[in-house]
Amino acid sequence: MSATQPGGVPNSRWRVLRGTTFRLLGAAVIGATTGLAVFSLTQVTSRSLFAITGGVAGAAAVLAVQWYQRTARLTEVKVTVPQLSELTFAVNNDSRQVAWQMFVETVTRVSTQPLASDQGVIREALSSMYGLFATTRETLKASRPSATVPSGQTVEYLAITMLNQALRPFLSQWHPRLQEFERLHPDGQESAWSQNAACRAALREVQRDIHDYAIGFARLAGVREAEALIGVVPVPRSPGDGHDGDDRSAVGGVPRTRS
């Protein structure tokens, strides 16, 4: 049988055979190297043997401590995820640090802060949302993946869900519409945009979701009184509510949350 298919494409059986051969050769090389290393150690005596043994023991201790920090010290936290349900998350010191960074990013932007109908600029709000999207992605790329356990999700799951379930749908819908208005009316005011009110209403909806994600990040990070830190946030109006004013709701200075 030919080793290649018509057009020079390697046959799948040949690829499997070649891959198996490479793996066997690699295993043989590793085994031979390991055997030589063990043999060399058996020839070492006196102080050198103690130094080598101590070095190996020290390296093993460091690896064991790192493993313990990433797995054995995991704690479980229950968080209600918008669009989903209550989930159990497994967190350690590393993931708490990531959650704290995400909490700070979400609560210091327009993503959770009110933008009244007669205040602020939608372009700035959308740019802030884009900034949150980019920062979240960079934070996840720069951090070490959390240790996974069968009983819980990770902080990365919460952050990626926020990007894909809340931020991405909002930005993909409203950013092109605003860009089109700006292209057709380069000197126009946003108040003249026919979809101004609808965009602000959608912004309040996504702010409500981002607020809940921020509370989730706070719980994972161990932040106390997160609601008070966030401050008053806009609450989406129910369908049919006629006016589009400054929608803010608080009881005793603490924002009202959804039931």
Side-chain angles (χ1 to χ4, degrees):
M1 177 183 294
S2 173
T4 59
Q5 296 176 343
V9 180
N11 185 276
S12 59
R13 183 175 300 177
W14 166 249
R15 289 198 300 269
V16 172
L17 179 61
R18 185 174 58 183
T20 302
T21 302
F22 285 149
R23 285 194 291 271
L24 289 175
L25 289 175
V29 171
I30 294 173
T33 303
T34 304
L36 288 174
V38 172
F39 174 77
S40 298
L41 287 176
T42 59
Q43 306 305 307
V44 179
T45 58
S46 188
R47 297 178 181 177
S48 298
L49 179 60
F50 282 101
I52 294 173
T53 303
V56 172
V62 170
L63 293 176
V65 169
Q66 291 180 342
W67 176 85
Y68 175 77
Q69 290 178 338
R70 287 175 56 79
T71 57
R73 297 178 62 185
L74 287 172
T75 57
E76 292 187 349
V77 179
K78 292 187 181 298
V79 172
T80 300
V81 181
Q83 296 102 24
L84 296 178
S85 60
E86 185 180 71
L87 298 176
T88 299
F89 287 78
V91 294
N92 59 8
N93 289 337
D94 289 344
S95 55
R96 288 189 187 93
Q97 182 62 33
V98 174
W100 167 248
Q101 295 179 39
M102 294 307 309
F103 173 72
V104 172
E105 287 294 332
T106 53
V107 302
T108 56
R109 295 176 178 270
V110 176
S111 54
T112 56
Q113 298 305 310
L115 184 67
S117 58
D118 58 345
Q119 298 176 353
V121 180
I122 296 179
R123 164 51 61 195
E124 293 180 358
L126 265 64
S127 297
S128 179
M129 290 290 190
Y130 263 112
L132 176 59
F133 194 103
T135 301
T136 299
R137 188 163 51 189
E138 291 304 314
T139 299
L140 295 179
K141 288 168 60 177
S143 62
R144 185 170 54 182
S146 298
T148 57
V149 294
S151 60
Q153 296 289 351
T154 64
V155 64
E156 292 91 345
Y157 176 83
L158 184 61
I160 292 174
T161 302
M162 179 184 72
L163 295 186
N164 291 333
Q165 298 292 332
L167 282 174
R168 190 187 301 277
F170 171 78
L171 292 173
S172 62
Q173 178 181 7
W174 288 105
H175 186 255
R177 297 183 183 184
L178 180 58
Q179 276 188 321
E180 180 65 12
F181 170 77
E182 293 172 337
R183 184 184 67 83
L184 296 176
H185 307 85
D187 299 323
Q189 298 295 321
E190 284 184 357
S191 57
W193 183 29
S194 61
Q195 301 183 70
N196 182 292
C199 183
R200 287 176 180 268
L203 175 64
R204 286 196 298 272
E205 291 286 346
V206 76
Q207 282 179 322
R208 180 71 263 177
D209 288 336
I210 299 299
H211 170 270
D212 289 348
Y213 281 106
I215 295 299
F217 290 127
R219 288 184 58 82
L220 297 184
V223 178
R224 296 183 179 181
E225 300 182 356
E227 293 271 11
L229 289 176
I230 296 175
V232 180
V233 298
V235 179
R237 298 187 182 279
S238 59
D241 197 347
H243 58 286
D244 184 41
D246 186 1
D247 188 7
R248 308 181 188 188
S249 176
V251 178
V254 180
R256 177 166 58 90
T257 58
R258 290 182 295 185
S259 59

